[in-house]
Amino acid sequence: MHVLVTGGAGYIGSHTVLQLLEEGHEVSIVDNFSNSSPESIRRVNSLAGRSAHLRSVDLLNQQELTKIFADTQPDAVIHFAGLKAVGESVSEPLKYYRNNVTGTLNLLDAMEAVDCRTLVFSSSATVYGESTALPLIESTPRNATNPYGRTKLHIEEMLEELAASDPRWSIANLRYFNPVGAHTSGLIGEDPQGTPNNLMPYVAQVAIGRREKVHVFGGDYPTADGTGVRDYIHVLDLAAGHLAALKYLRESAGAHTWNLGTGTGSSVLEVIEAFARVSGKEVPYKIVERRSGDVAENYANAEKARLELGWKAEHGLEQMVEDMWRWQKGNPTGFGPIDAFGMTDEELDIFLNR
Ligand code: NAD
Ligand code: UD1
């Protein structure tokens, strides 16, 4: 297949592009590098031994996007491009609705124009809001609690309405639980800009000595050790879930929803302990106030994906932490700035098809 991947230079996108290339698919990437570096794709290409076609384009640029679809004529799209910082979405909601919702509308128009109607969308367990009925199953009523979450919820609804209106569409809403880990080569991984919002990258930066200690948000939750419990899932398992969904969509029209999680929860203290054990470093922490909007516990029922996609997560917490640590040690400051990329401006323009 020829798969167009939006946001393919980002964390989950780059791992998925690598698997698509390894499986022999042709891949075109559209990314504006607002939260990533083309260096990730240079490394993906070298790991795969073949190249994805990379285009530096913003989904908000409808004209350029339409042209790329006309030029590439993809069979299917995996749509990762989006902004994902919950706190920022509260202070700048319109930026989130514009980028995530309008960006998706532009994408759907560009797809229709070339008769491409197979789409895998990056949704999130955030659409379950503060639901307390565990484990979370796809039929749990949706209830997002912040603008980021509502962009995901609105897009899911929009895609369901689209598929209901026209049976030529095949759509997957994949609800990720907490993606962590990195490729086993240690060459690609998550490269958060500024202070990480999420637990695992924060703990990794404490272990490497970039930050002093982990602030544990709440020690009095009704969980075994009092700290928050989440369903961490290895990014390689998550990437494999996208390939399984694509395969399913080739034979099934309509809109489908699958949880991608392991079904098992780990507490904040368990994550910190695993990191200390794997890295051999001290990981100092301090229990502070709860973070507003956090739930005590959240983990997936991933049976639907197992039964329908034949997919299940294979990696446990120890492996997630080992891979994350290898990536963090080898790349203590992430991919580095674009000018450390080792290419002249002219070479970069050619690489990015500018
Ligand atoms: P990421 O920020 O690493 O990747 C997103 C990519 O999209 C980046 O490369 C960014 O430059 C690009 N992008 C953003 N807006 C764009 C635009 N308008 N035009 C073109 N490119 C644009 O994030 P990620 O962790 O890889 O997440 C991928 C998707 O999965 C996102 O939609 C995110 O909301 C969703 N998701 C992520 C998590 C998580 O914890 N990482 C959890 C649930 C859902
Ligand atoms: C967060 C977002 C969620 C988003 C997901 C993936 C919130 C409220 N939720 O989920 O919408 O889909 O990231 O991007 O922001 N923790 C600490 N110290 C830290 C960071 C986190 O103790 O410095 C704790 C949290 O309280 C939580 C656990 O670690 O119990 C995991 O947090 P995090 O990695 O931010 O993920 P979520 O809160 O599950």
Side-chain angles (χ1 to χ4, degrees):
M1 276 175 119
H2 181 176
V3 185
L4 187 142
V5 182
T6 76
Y11 172 44
I12 307 167
S14 56
H15 290 81
T16 307
V17 167
L18 177 55
Q19 289 188 12
L20 287 166
L21 290 172
E22 285 170 346
E23 293 271 309
H25 297 289
E26 194 183 334
V27 182
S28 294
I29 298 171
V30 169
D31 204 301
N32 66 357
F33 305 111
S34 57
N35 196 37
S36 57
S37 160
E39 172 65 7
S40 65
I41 296 307
R42 198 177 65 83
R43 295 187 187 188
V44 163
N45 291 344
S46 93
L47 284 167
R50 49 193 288 264
S51 293
H53 191 72
L54 184 58
R55 306 290 293 256
S56 168
V57 175
D58 195 313
L59 290 189
L60 297 179
N61 186 338
Q62 176 79 73
Q63 216 178 345
E64 271 200 67
L65 195 62
T66 307
K67 184 166 178 320
I68 285 174
F69 273 83
D71 291 348
T72 54
Q73 301 278 332
D75 301 305
V77 172
I78 305 183
H79 178 30
F80 293 104
L83 297 173
K84 60 170 185 176
V86 173
E88 187 187 52
S89 82
V90 174
S91 53
E92 295 185 70
L94 297 187
K95 180 174 164 185
Y96 274 68
Y97 286 111
R98 191 172 299 114
N99 194 77
N100 294 3
V101 181
T102 307
T104 302
L105 280 171
N106 288 348
L107 176 68
L108 294 170
D109 283 340
M111 288 177 71
E112 279 209 301
V114 295
D115 218 9
C116 171
R117 291 187 175 81
T118 302
L119 174 70
V120 177
F121 171 60
S122 296
S123 189
S124 167
T126 195
V127 301
Y128 294 119
E130 290 174 352
S131 176
T132 48
L134 293 173
L136 292 160
I137 188 162
E138 288 84 351
S139 53
T140 306
R142 289 174 288 200
N143 163 35
T145 56
N146 54 65
Y148 163 71
R150 271 186 287 277
T151 67
K152 295 294 179 195
L153 200 155
H154 292 327
I155 295 167
E156 279 199 1
E157 289 175 339
M158 202 162 82
L159 295 176
E160 285 157 7
E161 285 162 1
L162 179 62
S165 74
D166 180 343
R168 289 173 299 174
W169 281 94
S170 302
I171 296 176
N173 286 317
L174 300 184
R175 293 183 182 155
Y176 313 157
F177 278 68
N178 290 55
V180 296
H183 189 258
T184 40
S185 63
L187 288 177
I188 54 170
E190 187 172 13
D191 181 15
Q193 309 299 304
T195 308
N197 296 308
N198 297 119
L199 178 68
M200 253 309 174
Y202 200 103
V203 175
Q205 292 191 4
V206 172
I208 201 83
R210 265 175 82 180
R211 299 187 190 275
E212 192 194 336
K213 58 174 171 295
V214 183
H215 297 99
V216 176
F217 299 146
D220 57 354
Y221 281 110
T223 58
D225 64 19
T227 66
V229 167
R230 296 292 183 275
D231 186 341
Y232 298 95
I233 173 167
H234 199 297
V235 67
L236 292 177
D237 284 326
L238 202 56
H242 292 73
L243 274 77
L246 264 188
K247 206 181 274 176
Y248 185 96
L249 294 183
R250 287 179 92 166
E251 275 140 41
S252 273
H256 310 269
T257 302
W258 291 288
N259 282 342
L260 296 184
T262 65
T264 305
S266 303
S267 74
V268 176
L269 293 184
E270 281 170 338
V271 168
I272 293 175
E273 278 157 20
F275 239 99
R277 199 165 50 242
V278 164
S279 65
K281 306 273 183 197
E282 216 190 312
V283 180
Y285 69 86
K286 183 178 172 203
I287 296 187
V288 299
E289 289 292 290
R290 292 180 180 190
R291 178 172 66 181
S292 115
D294 275 355
V295 291
E297 196 167 6
N298 147 353
Y299 52 89
N301 175 324
E303 270 304 284
K304 188 166 183 274
R306 190 181 69 77
L307 291 171
E308 295 177 357
L309 302 179
W311 171 92
K312 88 179 193 357
E314 305 287 349
H315 301 82
L317 184 67
E318 201 80 4
Q319 185 73 53
M320 301 179 207
V321 171
E322 269 174 28
D323 292 339
M324 189 115 178
W325 180 236
R326 191 179 304 107
W327 154 252
Q328 182 69 66
K329 256 192 324 189
N331 307 268
T333 54
F335 288 114
I338 195 164
D339 60 4
F341 188 36
M343 287 191 189
T344 63
D345 285 353
E346 203 181 16
E347 285 167 335
L348 189 60
D349 283 346
I350 293 167
F351 183 52
L352 295 177
N353 293 290
R354 285 200 289 227

